[in-house]
């Protein structure tokens, strides 16, 4: 496929909002995306990520704010006038049309000449590697192949933006992994903007150049996958990015960016991710980073509740200080009821203000 013919450089959302009656589904959404970027909207169900995508596509009108491609305001345009490619969760293919006809449908609606349309459909088929399936009906294809048809239909119109709304959620785990690679490859080949909605942090981390984390219709953090994975700026972002262990404690002391927490009869050192406004704090730790140690003088005392093998390591659940539930990694299996110590490097322990109960 040739890159989109549009010469735009940047997509800009300026304080975009969308309300459904008294419910604000989107609030003050501001974002600039450069051509060639892959952006993932990430968050739990109901956070506003699909609403944001539909507002950009023109499928939903905005309640406030504006959307721009360079200096051209587009939120006043119809979806057809915006010319974006859309890939949906349910594929939305015409079951009675061949793969080739499904892909070429948008070109026919735009009045593209037959010879030119055929050329672009063939190029799209090559991009998604379905040249040998062109004459089949969607029902004769696997789920992964149907998703490739949906992607080809989106990109054949040579859009300035490709919008994807949880496109892999109906596929099994193996196909999801395969399609991640294909989606990223196609994005790179096109050189356009891809906006991708997902609730799966692994998808966002593996695909995106930047991730936009949403909660309750508002942006909580924007950053690279590395930023979001290693340095979440908010406790709720850390929780969504896999920091399952949340340990409440009392601030004992700080030194530079490090903080020492008191946890009953023991203590824990971590890294502050925000200014601490009081003594009530909470530490967030990934299960991968909280490890069982043999030295009895180190770490948090805990009692094992369960432990299971997952390939290279064992992972378990235990009860720690204050009866908190802790998820940990180990090099061997521990029996339920075993007394262990759990430890994490200070750089892997993120310290936040404790939210009000």
């Amino acid at each position: 496929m040739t890159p989109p013919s549009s010469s735009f450089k940047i997509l800009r959302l300026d304080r975009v909002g969308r309300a459904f009656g008294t419910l604000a589904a989107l609030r003050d959404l501001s974002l600039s995306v450069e051509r060639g970027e892959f952006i993932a909207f990430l968050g739990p169900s109901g956070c506003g990520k699909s609403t944001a995508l539909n507002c950009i596509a023109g499928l939903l009108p905005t309640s406030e704010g504006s959307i721009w491609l360079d200096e051209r305001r587009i939120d006043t345009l119809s979806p057809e006038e915006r010319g974006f490619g859309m890939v949906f969760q349910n594929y939305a293919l015409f079951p009675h049309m061949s793969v080739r006809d499904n892909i070429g449908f948008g070109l026919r609606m735009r009045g593209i000449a037959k010879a030119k349309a055929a050329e672009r459909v063939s190029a799209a088929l090559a991009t998604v590697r379905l040249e040998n399936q062109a004459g089949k009906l969607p029902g004769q294809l696997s789920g992964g192949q149907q998703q490739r048809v949906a992607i080809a239909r989106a990109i054949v119109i040579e859009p300035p933006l490709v919008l994807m709304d949880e496109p892999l959620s109906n596929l099994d785990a193996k196909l999801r992994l395969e399609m991640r690679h294909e989606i990223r490859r196609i994005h790179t080949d096109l050189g356009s903007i891809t906006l991708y909605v997902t609730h799966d942090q692994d998808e966002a981390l593996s695909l995106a150049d930047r991730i936009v984390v949403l909660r309750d219709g508002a942006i909580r953090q924007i950053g690279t996958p590395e930023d979001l994975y290693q340095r979440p700026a908010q406790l709720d972002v850390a929780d969504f990015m896999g920091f399952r262990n949340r340990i409440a404690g009392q601030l004992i002391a700080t030194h530079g960016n490090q903080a020492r927490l008191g946890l009953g009869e023991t203590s824990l050192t971590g890294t502050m991710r925000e200014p601490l406004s009081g003594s009530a704090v909470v530490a967030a730790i990934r299960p991968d980073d909280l490890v069982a140690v043999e030295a009895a003088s180190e770490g948090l005392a805990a009692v094992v509740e369960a432990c299971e093998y997952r390939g290279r390591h064992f992972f378990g659940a235990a009860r720690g200080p204050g009866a908190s539930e802790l998820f940990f990694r180990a090099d061997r299996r521990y029996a339920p009821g075993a007394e262990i110590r759990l430890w994490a490097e200070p750089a892997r322990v993120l310290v936040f203000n404790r939210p009000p109960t």
Side-chain angles (χ1 to χ4, degrees):
M1 288 291 291
T2 58
S5 57
S6 173
S7 59
F8 84 98
K9 295 180 180 178
I10 194 165
L11 167 73
R12 181 165 54 89
L13 280 63
D14 185 13
R15 302 175 68 90
V16 170
R18 168 66 193 185
F20 296 93
T22 59
L23 173 65
L26 279 183
R27 297 180 287 116
D28 199 26
L29 189 68
S30 294
L31 175 69
S32 292
V33 185
E34 294 184 1
R35 183 176 180 143
E37 277 196 286
F38 194 119
I39 301 295
F41 289 109
L42 177 67
S45 297
C47 71
K49 54 189 185 294
S50 289
T51 301
L53 203 74
N54 287 330
C55 286
I56 295 168
L59 301 178
L60 280 176
T62 58
S63 301
E64 57 185 21
S66 54
I67 305 174
W68 303 76
L69 271 182
D70 292 338
E71 301 305 315
R72 184 188 184 196
R73 184 171 180 177
I74 63 169
D75 56 283
T76 57
L77 303 178
S78 68
E80 295 79 14
E81 291 173 308
R82 300 183 198 193
F84 299 160
M86 286 285 294
V87 181
F88 298 98
Q89 180 178 342
N90 63 358
Y91 316 144
L93 302 178
F94 297 111
H96 62 288
M97 290 186 183
S98 69
V99 167
R100 180 176 290 277
D101 287 342
N102 263 283
I103 295 171
F105 182 78
L107 297 176
R108 291 196 297 277
M109 293 300 98
R110 286 166 171 77
I112 304 297
K114 275 190 176 182
K116 182 63 175 176
E119 179 183 322
R120 285 166 63 172
V121 169
S122 294
L125 282 164
T127 297
V128 299
R129 300 174 180 176
L130 285 178
E131 301 99 313
N132 296 332
Q133 312 297 327
K136 291 185 178 179
L137 297 175
Q140 297 173 296
L141 304 179
S142 68
Q145 289 173 327
Q146 289 183 49
Q147 191 57 276
R148 290 176 191 232
V149 177
I151 293 170
R153 186 178 57 188
I155 65 176
V156 75
I157 61 174
E158 299 183 350
L161 272 72
V162 177
L163 311 176
M164 299 191 178
D165 193 356
E166 306 225 31
L168 305 184
S169 60
N170 289 334
L171 303 181
D172 63 36
K174 182 176 182 294
L175 275 177
R176 284 201 301 271
L177 288 174
E178 292 176 359
M179 286 304 300
R180 281 185 207 171
H181 171 74
E182 288 302 303
I183 286 173
R184 184 67 211 198
R185 178 186 62 80
I186 291 166
H187 164 82
T188 301
D189 289 347
L190 289 175
S192 182
I193 284 175
T194 298
L195 302 180
Y196 188 100
V197 162
T198 182
H199 65 273
D200 186 326
Q201 60 156 296
D202 288 337
E203 275 186 21
L205 290 169
S206 65
L207 284 168
D209 298 309
R210 286 190 296 156
I211 299 171
V212 180
V213 180
L214 294 170
R215 182 183 180 187
D216 297 331
I219 292 175
R220 296 296 287 163
Q221 188 173 350
I222 302 173
T224 65
E226 293 84 356
D227 286 337
L228 271 293
Y229 187 86
Q230 299 177 17
R231 296 175 291 276
Q234 311 282 343
L235 181 58
D236 60 317
V237 176
D239 185 59
F240 196 75
M241 294 304 297
F243 287 78
R244 295 180 65 193
N245 294 307
R246 293 173 62 165
I247 308 170
Q250 297 294 316
L251 182 64
I252 297 174
T254 62
H255 180 72
N257 69 339
Q258 289 197 340
R260 191 156 189 82
L261 290 66
L263 307 167
E265 297 180 355
T266 187
S267 63
L268 183 67
T269 299
T271 302
M272 292 185 289
R273 289 300 298 143
E274 61 183 357
L276 302 179
S277 57
S279 61
V281 293
V282 60
I285 313 172
R286 290 180 179 280
D288 278 353
D289 296 325
L290 188 63
V291 296
V293 292
E294 299 297 331
S297 60
E298 293 185 22
L300 307 174
V303 178
V304 174
E305 293 187 332
C307 192
E308 61 185 36
Y309 183 60
R310 297 186 191 169
R312 296 178 62 185
H313 300 286
F314 293 87
F315 285 85
R319 289 289 167 184
S324 58
E325 187 175 28
L326 300 175
F327 302 94
F328 66 92
R329 173 172 58 87
D331 290 330
R332 66 180 180 88
R333 188 187 299 276
Y334 288 90
E339 296 182 356
I340 60 172
R341 291 274 176 168
L342 301 174
W343 178 86
E345 295 181 8
R348 302 295 187 182
V349 180
L350 306 186
V351 182
F352 301 90
N353 290 297
R354 196 188 310 172
T357 56

